[in-house]
Amino acid sequence: QPTIARFVLHFETHSWLVSQHWAVPNPEHAEHLHKLATKGGLEVAEFYRGGQVDEIEDDLSCSQLDKTTDGEASPTPRNAFLPQHTAVLVCMSECVTPGQFYLQLSAQLASLTRLEQEVATWAAEHQESGHLLLPVTGQIVLARIDQYSEYLRAEVRHVGDRLVVFMVDSGDMATVLMEDTLPCPASLAYKIPHQAMQCRLAGVRPVSGDWSVAAGDHLFDLTRDSLSDNPLALVCQVSQVTSSGYSVRLTSTGSGSDVDLASELVTAGLACQELTEQEDRLDIQESSMDLDEDFDTPNKMFNLERILEACASDAYHDQVCVPTLPAK
């Protein structure tokens, strides 16, 4: 506990807002207030620059800030999340397989659209400044697939002659040229959480081995409008939180009736139903009682239901069966 006996309560507005990712440093405002105060003859302390964080807030146990290679504080990227006990509307942005796809919260799509417009404006104003010079793995940048595409927020996954980047708001993985990248300012990198949430479809497993390409394509088609190819709003319910993301059940209501996407894959022969551990135990118990007539059980097991049926038959109506008791 590095903060024991150091303070009882600590709250400083600027540091808290930045560390909780509700705001990004903007020293221009502070500079303007500092000039006004000086012009008015007020006694002011040494100018506080917005990028600084006080000593206590810099403590690892009290802050969500990471340290860059230069020792400066930089916010940790936030990711959108799915509530575990409430169904929400989502849309699918990318599908690799039923075991790996990416969802976006429908409620956040308007905010994402506004952010993408701001990214496009910023990129147009700074494109002449030049592309990234020394990108590093894990860095948040702006990248575009080609010169005809828009710049989007991305995370660098591999650095080589080209960059392998992960589009943090859609889930796409892309290989881009160095000249198709730009540095991403903090005001855009951390303005809203990264929207792509990795998921897998609950209740199904591959027919054999790994998931087929056809299974992924069919699942993605189920999430698109057949006429416009626009993404459909899906009802999402989290079944389990895993180390890689969420296991979810998805239901489409676009056709006027509820369509369970997992069941559609099973019906199409592209997936098998995956029983839960409890369902698997029940299935084994039911199978153990399903005995054939000529099955000779080694443990002298008997099927009580069949004995009762035999006792009720005509063969037992004309005779009385008296059990023979062993002599004492």
Side-chain angles (χ1 to χ4, degrees):
Q1 296 292 338
T3 58
I4 286 182
R6 287 181 57 184
F7 63 89
V8 176
L9 175 64
H10 172 73
F11 180 84
E12 193 277 316
T13 307
H14 174 273
S15 298
W16 183 83
L17 288 173
V18 172
S19 67
Q20 300 300 313
H21 311 306
W22 291 107
V24 295
N26 189 355
E28 288 81 4
H29 292 168
E31 291 174 1
H32 183 62
L33 290 174
H34 187 271
K35 291 177 181 178
L36 289 176
T38 303
K39 184 181 294 186
L42 299 178
E43 183 178 351
V44 294
E46 181 182 355
F47 177 62
Y48 177 79
R49 302 208 171 267
Q52 297 174 344
V53 178
D54 59 62
E55 179 183 311
I56 295 178
E57 196 65 40
D58 184 40
D59 206 87
L60 289 179
S61 64
C62 300
S63 173
Q64 299 180 26
L65 301 183
D66 287 339
K67 291 294 183 181
T68 63
T69 55
D70 298 329
E72 297 179 353
S74 62
T76 302
R78 293 180 298 151
N79 297 313
F81 64 92
L82 292 170
Q84 297 185 39
H85 306 292
T86 306
V88 292
L89 289 179
V90 299
C91 65
M92 186 178 293
S93 56
E94 170 67 4
C95 181
V96 182
T97 68
Q100 181 185 354
F101 53 86
Y102 294 87
L103 301 178
Q104 298 170 326
L105 288 168
S106 296
Q108 296 297 322
L109 292 180
S111 297
L112 178 59
T113 299
R114 289 193 296 270
L115 174 68
E116 291 174 347
Q117 292 171 349
E118 293 180 29
V119 168
T121 301
W122 190 94
E125 295 174 352
H126 296 81
Q127 191 169 354
E128 300 300 326
S129 302
H131 58 78
L132 289 172
L133 298 177
L134 296 173
V136 295
T137 302
Q139 182 180 358
I140 302 300
V141 302
L142 299 180
R144 60 181 182 180
I145 306 299
D146 52 51
Q147 59 180 339
Y148 305 105
S149 304
E150 297 290 344
Y151 282 95
L152 300 171
R153 298 192 301 181
E155 179 185 335
V156 177
R157 292 292 177 87
H158 177 73
V159 179
D161 295 336
R162 298 190 175 195
L163 292 183
V164 177
V165 297
F166 173 74
M167 301 300 183
V168 297
D169 294 313
S170 65
D172 295 284
M173 193 75 73
T175 302
V176 301
L177 297 172
M178 198 74 72
E179 51 263 33
D180 287 325
T181 61
L182 290 172
C184 184
S187 58
L188 298 177
Y190 309 109
K191 185 166 187 177
I192 65 172
H194 298 169
Q195 295 298 298
M197 300 172 290
Q198 183 173 334
C199 302
R200 66 175 295 271
L201 197 59
V204 290
R205 58 178 175 80
V207 175
S208 61
D210 299 327
W211 285 106
S212 64
V213 175
D217 291 343
H218 187 59
L219 175 60
F220 189 74
D221 290 341
L222 290 172
T223 68
R224 290 302 185 266
D225 183 88
S226 57
L227 298 178
S228 64
D229 200 38
N230 291 328
L232 298 173
L234 308 171
V235 179
C236 175
Q237 178 66 60
V238 174
S239 296
Q240 183 182 4
V241 180
T242 67
S243 58
S244 59
Y246 301 91
S247 178
V248 300
R249 297 188 180 276
L250 296 177
T251 305
S252 173
T253 59
S255 60
S257 58
D258 293 349
V259 177
D260 180 70
L261 301 194
S263 300
E264 289 296 304
L265 286 180
V266 174
T267 302
L270 298 172
C272 294
Q273 186 175 6
E274 185 178 52
L275 297 178
T276 63
E277 184 178 348
Q278 182 178 6
E279 292 172 334
D280 208 11
R281 288 199 303 267
L282 289 174
D283 186 60
I284 293 174
Q285 292 172 0
E286 292 174 357
S287 299
S288 66
M289 295 300 295
D290 188 16
L291 304 177
D292 294 329
E293 291 185 4
D294 299 329
F295 185 75
D296 186 16
T297 58
N299 297 326
K300 304 300 180 182
M301 292 175 61
F302 60 91
N303 193 316
L304 180 60
E305 184 177 349
R306 291 180 180 174
I307 291 177
L308 293 176
E309 291 177 355
C311 290
S313 63
D314 294 339
Y316 287 87
H317 289 170
D318 300 331
Q319 54 183 310
V320 176
C321 297
V322 179
T324 303
L325 298 176
K328 294 183 180 180

